[in-house]
């Protein structure tokens, strides 16, 4: 899984490779279009291939990927499961149609068990359901059975959100699953190979601190932003 960009030469120096998520998605789309078995699959069976973006940030990347490849764009809603006292500390994730997936190493560090997060999981399930309703407007979920699905997010840190999404998708019997992100920690990219047919990245740095450091602009997206991107893809 070679990087499309050189590694930073000096320790601690991280160049801002992507101006924003849209620019990263364009580069990722070109990478997907140019190499690998997924390229041939898209070329010969575009009607059986779909981009599934993880909201919110992944939708901006996914919109550009879908446009580059001439594919439909769908969303697969996921939610992080945070620490009860420190919500930003991700301990797991849940995806629509799937069960909670936990980061066992982080749970051990936090001294918690899955049952200790029952209230957090219930809260995130409710928010997940709200977002599904907002983004789809009551339409049924997309049918991924027998299709080639390219799952897109704006990056992988621990990879637990992508893992939850991939496991939920596997239950829908796709023909092939590809996970595509502009940047990923080496550990997450390696671990997720077991969850999907292929992991495609532009950058897998040896020294990784956060996804956001690889973007010049990495602001939070809103529900309105997601709806605008989805409308533009139709």
């Amino acid at each position: 899984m070679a990087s499309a960009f050189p590694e930073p030469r000096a320790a601690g120096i991280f160049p801002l490779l992507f101006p924003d998520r849209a620019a990263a998605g364009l580069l990722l789309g070109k990478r997907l279009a140019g190499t690998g078995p997924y390229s041939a699959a898209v070329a010969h069976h575009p009607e059986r291939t779909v981009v599934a973006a993880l909201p919110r940030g992944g939708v901006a990347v996914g919109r550009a990927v879908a446009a580059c490849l001439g594919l439909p764009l769908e969303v697969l809603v996921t939610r992080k499961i945070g620490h009860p006292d420190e919500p930003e500390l991700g301990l797991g994730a849940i995806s629509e149609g799937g069960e909670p997936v936990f980061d066992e190493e982080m749970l051990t560090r936090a001294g918690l068990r899955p049952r200790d997060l029952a209230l957090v999981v219930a809260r995130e399930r409710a928010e997940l359901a709200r977002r599904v309703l907002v983004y789809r407007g009551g339409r049924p979920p997309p049918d991924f059975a027998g299709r080639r699905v390219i799952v897109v997010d704006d990056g992988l840190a621990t990879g637990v959100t992508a893992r939850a999404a991939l496991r939920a998708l596997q239950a829908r019997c796709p023909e092939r699953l590809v996970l595509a992100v502009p940047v990923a920690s080496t550990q997450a990219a390696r671990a997720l190979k077991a969850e999907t047919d292929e992991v495609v990245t532009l950058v897998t740095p040896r020294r990784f601190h956060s996804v956001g450091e690889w973007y010049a602009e990495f602001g939070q997206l809103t529900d309105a932003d997601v709806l605008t991107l989805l409308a533009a893809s139709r």
Side-chain angles (χ1 to χ4, degrees):
M1 192 174 0
S3 169
F5 300 90
E7 280 282 293
R9 291 175 180 258
I13 297 176
F14 295 89
L16 295 170
L17 297 179
F18 307 119
D20 55 24
R21 291 180 177 92
L26 179 60
L27 289 170
L28 188 60
K30 290 180 177 178
R31 175 70 173 272
L32 287 162
T35 59
Y38 35 82
S39 175
V42 169
H44 292 100
H45 302 285
E47 75 285 353
R48 292 168 54 191
T49 308
V50 61
V51 174
L54 308 187
R56 293 177 175 136
V59 179
V61 181
R63 163 75 179 99
V65 169
C68 183
L69 299 177
L71 297 174
L73 174 66
E74 298 286 355
V75 291
L76 185 67
V77 184
T78 56
R79 288 292 296 167
K80 178 174 67 178
I81 298 171
H83 191 288
D85 300 322
E86 300 177 60
E88 290 305 311
L89 179 60
L91 302 178
I94 187 168
S95 179
E96 56 176 308
E99 293 301 314
V101 174
F102 296 100
D103 185 322
E104 296 298 336
E105 181 179 347
M106 290 301 295
L107 279 179
T108 300
R109 289 183 184 180
L112 295 172
R113 295 163 294 182
R115 67 186 185 189
D116 298 325
L117 301 173
L119 291 178
V120 178
V121 170
R123 185 168 63 244
E124 296 305 337
R125 281 189 188 276
E127 174 60 15
L128 188 150
R130 185 196 71 81
R131 292 194 184 193
V132 168
L133 181 61
V134 169
Y135 299 155
R136 295 217 180 93
R139 294 187 302 275
D143 183 8
F144 293 116
R147 303 178 77 182
R148 297 174 173 91
V149 184
I150 303 173
V151 179
V152 176
D153 203 357
D154 53 16
L156 301 175
T158 66
V160 69
T161 300
R163 181 176 290 111
L166 291 167
R167 290 184 181 179
L169 277 171
Q170 287 284 12
R172 302 190 194 185
C173 303
E175 179 183 314
R176 182 175 179 83
L177 271 180
V178 173
L179 174 63
V181 296
V183 59
S185 68
T186 302
Q187 180 181 5
R190 184 183 300 117
L192 287 169
K193 286 183 178 181
E195 305 283 350
T196 185
D197 295 301
E198 185 119 20
V199 177
V200 180
T201 69
L202 297 177
V203 183
T204 49
R206 289 185 298 269
R207 301 180 184 91
F208 180 94
H209 296 291
S210 69
V211 171
E213 70 188 347
W214 293 89
Y215 290 84
E217 169 56 43
F218 196 67
Q220 293 292 321
L221 300 187
T222 65
D223 286 345
D225 293 327
V226 171
L227 291 173
T228 297
L229 290 163
L230 291 175
S233 72
R234 297 192 179 103

